[in-house]
Amino acid sequence: MNPSAMKTSRFAPFVLAAVALLIYLPGTNLAPLIDRDEPRFAQATREMIQRGEWVVPYFNHEYRFDKPVLIYWLMRPCYALLGANEFSARLPSVVSAILLAWLVFWMGQRWFSTRTGFLAAFGLLTCLQLLMHARSAVADMPMMAMIVLAQWAAWELVHDDGPKYSWRWFWTLYGALGVGFLAKGPVTIVVPLLTFLIFRLAFWRKPVRWSRLKLGTGTVIMLGIIGA
């Protein structure tokens, strides 16, 4: 890696985080919670705190099983540190957007170049869909970050020709799938599955080392995380 690329690699994550904060934070404390989902997520977190509950979400004193529990866990420390308000409710989405941008940057850097990774991550941060969801108190951003992380880990596993098995990517894959399920349910599992089906049937005719995914062991680990 040349000196210019090394310098970009060192500072790019900080630049991307700063861009995300400049785009997503302003106004998040001023705009009221909108739509139907933001108020429900925010109020359910408040009710869980009032009940001292960590597992079962409530909304208006009734069970709320519309979404898994991760988003409430993420909002809870924000409420504890900053109070129960719009800014705190939306902060997990902002942080997840930064994580998503970092993942895209690191993937692009690993597979192509530092410049490619940075431009891809910067472009992602300015997408309209991200501009909406990263400023909302919803579960989409944590889910998206975990889907990207799972896809990256799965790709690395099946294309790794090294003499030793990459347990790092194995644990990353099934950890991301489990945490992603806790964010928004089965979609976190379905998206990587569809990606690999399309990849195998439409774009790649060479043999793929599917056995390296260790689906049996990985599924048990994933279900253990989901069992939370």
Side-chain angles (χ1 to χ4, degrees):
M1 186 181 293
N2 60 56
S4 177
M6 290 181 62
K7 185 176 181 180
T8 302
S9 177
R10 188 180 306 121
F11 290 105
F14 298 101
V15 174
L16 291 170
V19 170
L21 293 175
L22 287 172
I23 294 175
Y24 303 140
L25 278 187
T28 54
N29 62 322
L30 301 177
L33 299 173
I34 59 174
D35 196 38
R36 68 174 188 174
D37 288 330
E38 277 198 303
R40 292 182 182 183
F41 281 125
Q43 178 61 23
T45 302
R46 185 179 304 190
E47 291 190 29
M48 289 180 72
I49 294 174
Q50 292 171 347
R51 290 173 174 269
E53 176 64 64
W54 285 92
V55 178
V56 180
Y58 288 84
F59 178 73
N60 285 343
H61 308 290
E62 296 182 357
Y63 293 137
R64 173 172 165 78
F65 297 133
D66 297 61
K67 294 291 187 295
V69 75
L70 180 65
I71 187 61
Y72 309 115
W73 290 348
L74 295 177
M75 288 182 179
R76 191 162 181 159
C78 296
Y79 280 21
L81 292 173
L82 303 171
N85 51 57
E86 289 84 354
F87 180 83
S88 299
R90 291 167 175 150
L91 187 57
S93 292
V94 177
V95 175
S96 297
I98 294 174
L99 174 59
L100 178 62
W102 284 348
L103 290 172
V104 170
F105 166 69
W106 289 326
M107 279 193 295
Q109 182 184 50
R110 179 174 174 85
W111 294 346
F112 302 102
S113 68
T114 299
R115 182 174 182 272
T116 300
F118 179 80
L119 292 177
F122 186 87
L124 176 68
L125 288 175
T126 58
C127 287
L128 178 60
Q129 194 71 25
L130 213 67
L131 288 169
M132 294 188 296
H133 284 94
R135 294 172 56 87
S136 302
V138 293
D140 296 76
M141 291 310 306
M143 173 200 69
M144 290 172 62
M146 290 302 102
I147 286 177
V148 169
L149 183 57
Q151 303 246 67
W152 183 10
W155 174 273
E156 296 288 351
L157 273 179
V158 299
H159 289 86
D160 183 12
D161 295 324
K164 293 185 178 180
Y165 184 78
S166 181
W167 288 102
R168 177 186 64 172
W169 291 116
F170 171 83
W171 285 101
T172 299
L173 169 60
Y174 292 102
L177 290 176
V179 173
F181 192 102
L182 291 178
K184 208 171 179 181
V187 65
T188 307
I189 301 172
V190 172
V191 171
L193 178 61
L194 290 176
T195 298
F196 269 90
L197 286 175
I198 295 172
F199 165 75
R200 180 64 182 89
L201 298 176
F203 299 111
W204 190 268
R205 297 299 182 181
K206 299 179 182 179
V208 177
R209 303 173 71 183
W210 299 110
S211 61
R212 295 182 68 83
L213 294 177
K214 296 186 182 295
L215 290 175
T217 305
T219 299
V220 171
I221 294 170
M222 180 183 67
L223 291 177
I225 296 172
I226 294 172

